[in-house]
Amino acid sequence: MEIKEGWKNLTSYFLFTETVTTLAKQSENKTLTLFDQVYRSMAAQSKPSIRALYQAMIDYVSPSNTPDSLQQPLTRELLHERFLEFFSRLFPVAYHHAVNPGKDDFTDKFKSCLYETIDEVQPFGDVPKQISRVVGKSLEATRVLIQALTLGKTVLDRTDSALFSGTSPQQESCYNALLRMTYCPRCNGIGAAIRPCSGFCTNVMRGCLTESASELDLAWSGYVETVERLVVAVDGRNDPLGLNAERAVRQLDTRISDAIMHAMGNSRALEEK
């Protein structure tokens, strides 16, 4: 059946959630290692923010991140806020590292002042917005794909249930045909070891499945084709649309480092501001 065959071609992509989660964890570990080795004075204060950012990314692509499952699902706008919040928390730490290394940490009052001025000062340049846009776009495509696959699985499970349960005239006819094929020969003295001929079995199964499945086949084929195109876009090697989550997530630690280096390179200008 086209429905079953189409689903077989897509089941492997249910690994997307696990794959993105694994990539996020690997990138998180790389980022934590980067801070431990390169930005040691910033590492301890930055770890909670780093972990919170990556957890938000994992939560975003979770199949349960839907209005049906959560009162307040994590939207792309909220994910964007998580990125901006991460860099807001990073600003006082990076600023202290750049202009006041080796001395006592800033007071909470001064940190609050820095939080309030980050939009005006732009210590990391455009890097935070670039990161949020690139990662958010790719994770959004992955999230849509995961939700589409989850929906397809639900529909398929319910379709199977509908085909083989109930009391419609077609199903009653199917049950009678199965009964004749399976038990009538025994009533006529034919042993259980002798099976019905393949042609008889095929005709019975066609009668049981063809009508119901044919009603779904065209719509299901369209669904499979659409999802496969999305898979190609998300998994594209050239990635002209910027939808490859693997590439975006793998580069995240480097991009965070770029932001810090931008702030350090402009430490004198930041101090003047």
Side-chain angles (χ1 to χ4, degrees):
M1 287 172 59
E2 182 70 22
I3 292 177
K4 286 291 188 181
E5 290 302 317
W7 184 249
K8 287 179 181 178
N9 293 333
L10 293 176
T11 49
S12 61
Y13 292 106
F14 269 109
L15 296 175
F16 260 59
T17 306
E18 182 179 348
T19 299
V20 174
T21 299
T22 300
L23 287 172
K25 289 295 184 183
Q26 291 174 348
S27 182
E28 178 183 348
N29 290 335
K30 287 173 61 180
T31 304
L32 291 171
T33 301
L34 173 72
F35 274 73
D36 285 336
Q37 295 180 351
V38 180
Y39 307 112
R40 294 180 182 177
S41 63
M42 302 167 56
Q45 291 179 287
S46 301
K47 283 182 180 179
S49 297
I50 293 172
R51 291 196 170 101
L53 175 64
Y54 280 97
Q55 187 59 52
M57 293 165 54
I58 293 172
D59 293 342
Y60 183 66
V61 298
S62 170
S64 63
N65 185 32
T66 65
D68 294 334
S69 303
L70 302 174
Q71 288 186 343
Q72 187 177 10
L74 186 61
T75 63
R76 185 170 176 178
E77 290 74 20
L78 288 175
L79 181 65
H80 176 69
E81 290 180 10
R82 296 292 188 275
F83 275 99
L84 297 184
E85 181 181 338
F86 167 76
F87 283 102
S88 294
R89 296 294 178 186
L90 185 62
F91 178 30
V93 182
Y95 183 65
H96 183 274
H97 178 78
V99 304
N100 205 27
K103 297 183 180 180
D104 292 339
D105 192 13
F106 295 135
T107 64
D108 291 340
K109 183 177 181 180
F110 188 72
K111 288 181 181 179
S112 297
C113 178
L114 292 177
Y115 293 146
E116 294 173 0
T117 60
I118 188 170
D119 290 336
E120 178 184 351
V121 176
Q122 294 288 308
F124 304 111
D126 291 332
V127 178
K129 292 182 179 179
Q130 292 173 2
I131 292 175
S132 176
R133 183 175 63 253
V134 171
V135 177
K137 182 179 181 180
S138 62
L139 290 183
E140 172 69 12
T142 300
R143 176 172 174 258
V144 170
L145 173 59
I146 291 171
Q147 290 180 344
L149 291 171
T150 303
L151 176 62
K153 181 179 183 300
T154 301
V155 171
L156 189 62
D157 289 342
R158 292 179 179 177
T159 300
D160 283 346
S161 177
L163 287 175
F164 296 104
S165 63
T167 57
S168 68
Q170 183 207 349
Q171 289 163 333
E172 289 290 347
S173 176
C174 173
Y175 297 150
N176 291 334
L178 288 171
L179 180 64
R180 288 196 303 273
M181 181 180 71
T182 306
Y183 293 103
C184 287
R186 298 185 186 181
C187 295
N188 293 326
I190 300 176
I194 301 177
R195 299 180 179 179
C197 64
S198 60
F200 187 19
C201 292
T202 300
N203 287 335
V204 169
M205 295 311 296
R206 281 177 178 169
C208 287
L209 300 176
T210 300
E211 183 177 343
S212 298
S214 62
E215 295 176 358
L216 297 168
D217 193 48
L218 182 60
W220 181 258
S221 297
Y223 163 81
V224 170
E225 183 179 348
T226 301
V227 172
E228 285 180 336
R229 286 201 299 267
L230 181 56
V231 167
V232 171
V234 171
D235 195 39
R237 296 296 180 262
N238 297 325
D239 197 26
L241 301 177
L243 301 180
N244 190 303
E246 179 178 356
R247 181 178 290 107
V249 174
R250 285 189 185 280
Q251 295 176 349
L252 186 52
D253 62 307
T254 302
R255 298 296 286 139
I256 291 174
S257 181
D258 290 342
I260 296 173
M261 295 303 295
H262 183 279
M264 293 177 63
N266 293 276
S267 59
R268 181 170 297 180
L270 289 177
E271 195 167 7
E272 292 175 356
K273 292 181 180 180

